[in-house]
Amino acid sequence: MNIALIGAPGSGKGTQAAMLTQHYKVERISLGDILREEAENRTSLGEVVKKYMQKGVLAPDNIIQEVIGKKIDTNGFILDGFPRTIRQAQMLKKILDQKGTNLNKAIYLKVNQEVAVSRLSGRQICPKCSKLYHVVNMPPRIKGICDNCGSLLVVREDDKEDTVRKRWEVFMNQTHSVVDYYLKENKLLEIDASQDKDKVFKEITKILG
Ligand code: AMP
């Protein structure tokens, strides 16, 4: 099962990626998590990408290519946050061709801005295992503490209102065209992601089988 999840910030990509990974027993590749970890560890790559992430804009393709090329596994994957431009979609096709495999489906999690912003405004993340929470919709068992690993939850720096607005703009201007790309490739599956996370998951798995 080779899947890419496409969606605006707050569409539920991370949540669905975690659920689908467990269900299909494949690897989750979250570009955002990988880049955040690099930034946290202050690696040379991390120091470069941090500036882009803080502004809510996309990191350069040469960096993304370096990261993604090493991560793609031929035993199946759920891509979360990649591809985000047509060039990245072409990059993915080339990598998969070289590995003798291909993408099965690109799932577009369609959501309106109002729903997405309300989800992001209460979002918390575990800095250690990347599990996502929401103070109202998906709270941890103990306030502020990760259910999985006991770490203190944090709010992502780029979930602040101004940066969220910028990330939406980037999605509309640079990423939305990827939806048309996969429509033409006959790989697109569009899902109403404004629904509850379990309903979204059910719809996806019903279609994927
Ligand atoms: P995410 O966690 O998917 O919302 O990604 C957080 C940030 O990481 C984005 O706002 C970008 O700065 C960077 N990023 C993640 N994925 C990509 C990508 N495919 N191309 C470029 N930058 C990315």
Side-chain angles (χ1 to χ4, degrees), residues 79-98:
L79 286 171
D80 165 6
F82 178 85
R84 270 172 142 116
T85 60
I86 299 227
R87 269 190 72 189
Q88 290 184 6
Q90 290 162 342
M91 190 193 289
L92 176 63
K93 189 170 189 316
K94 211 167 156 192
I95 294 170
L96 294 177
D97 279 350
Q98 281 165 359

Side-chain angles (χ1 to χ4, degrees), residues 40-96:
E40 187 70 24
N41 294 335
R42 299 179 170 216
T43 62
S44 51
L45 191 144
E47 291 296 317
V48 177
V49 293
K50 201 166 156 180
K51 295 179 206 129
Y52 295 94
M53 295 173 88
Q54 279 169 346
K55 287 188 201 140
V57 299
L58 299 183
D61 279 347
N62 59 330
I63 294 182
I64 299 300
Q65 180 150 20
E66 192 187 319
V67 174
I68 204 77
K70 286 187 213 146
K71 287 279 170 186
I72 295 265
D73 187 344
T74 45
N75 294 324
F77 52 78
I78 308 281
L79 286 171
D80 165 6
F82 178 85
R84 270 172 142 116
T85 60
I86 299 227
R87 269 190 72 189
Q88 290 184 6
Q90 290 162 342
M91 190 193 289
L92 176 63
K93 189 170 189 316
K94 211 167 156 192
I95 294 170
L96 294 177

Side-chain angles (χ1 to χ4, degrees), residues 15-187:
T15 303
Q16 293 303 323
M19 293 166 89
L20 291 167
T21 300
Q22 239 188 7
H23 185 79
Y24 290 113
K25 309 271 179 270
V26 289
E27 201 195 347
R28 171 186 175 198
I29 305 173
S30 162
L31 250 291
D33 285 350
I34 296 168
L35 301 182
R36 266 186 293 280
E37 200 182 320
E38 294 279 345
E40 187 70 24
N41 294 335
R42 299 179 170 216
T43 62
S44 51
L45 191 144
E47 291 296 317
V48 177
V49 293
K50 201 166 156 180
K51 295 179 206 129
Y52 295 94
M53 295 173 88
Q54 279 169 346
K55 287 188 201 140
V57 299
L58 299 183
D61 279 347
N62 59 330
I63 294 182
I64 299 300
Q65 180 150 20
E66 192 187 319
V67 174
I68 204 77
K70 286 187 213 146
K71 287 279 170 186
I72 295 265
D73 187 344
T74 45
N75 294 324
F77 52 78
I78 308 281
L79 286 171
D80 165 6
F82 178 85
R84 270 172 142 116
T85 60
I86 299 227
R87 269 190 72 189
Q88 290 184 6
Q90 290 162 342
M91 190 193 289
L92 176 63
K93 189 170 189 316
K94 211 167 156 192
I95 294 170
L96 294 177
D97 279 350
Q98 281 165 359
K99 292 185 190 266
T101 184
N102 65 348
L103 190 74
N104 300 115
K105 284 268 179 251
I107 303 174
Y108 173 35
L109 299 174
K110 192 174 180 187
V111 71
N112 67 45
Q113 195 168 2
E114 214 176 299
V115 172
V117 169
S118 90
R119 283 178 182 167
L120 292 175
S121 65
R123 181 158 85 167
Q124 293 181 323
I125 186 169
C126 172
K128 197 162 172 216
C129 72
S130 303
K131 188 167 163 58
L132 291 167
Y133 297 89
H134 187 279
V135 285
V136 179
N137 308 334
M138 257 195 310
R141 282 195 295 271
I142 303 167
K143 198 176 162 192
I145 305 288
C146 178
D147 294 347
N148 271 356
C149 67
S151 302
L152 266 185
L153 302 178
V154 296
V155 173
R156 267 173 55 173
E157 212 176 311
D158 61 350
D159 277 349
K160 287 176 190 150
E161 204 184 319
D162 278 0
T163 321
V164 166
R165 212 171 299 129
K166 182 70 201 167
R167 286 162 62 206
W168 255 86
E169 203 183 297
V170 168
F171 175 78
M172 286 304 174
N173 294 339
Q174 291 177 265
T175 308
H176 198 270
S177 54
V178 176
V179 172
D180 299 324
Y181 174 93
Y182 284 119
L183 184 66
K184 282 191 201 123
E185 295 258 307
N186 255 325
K187 290 188 191 290

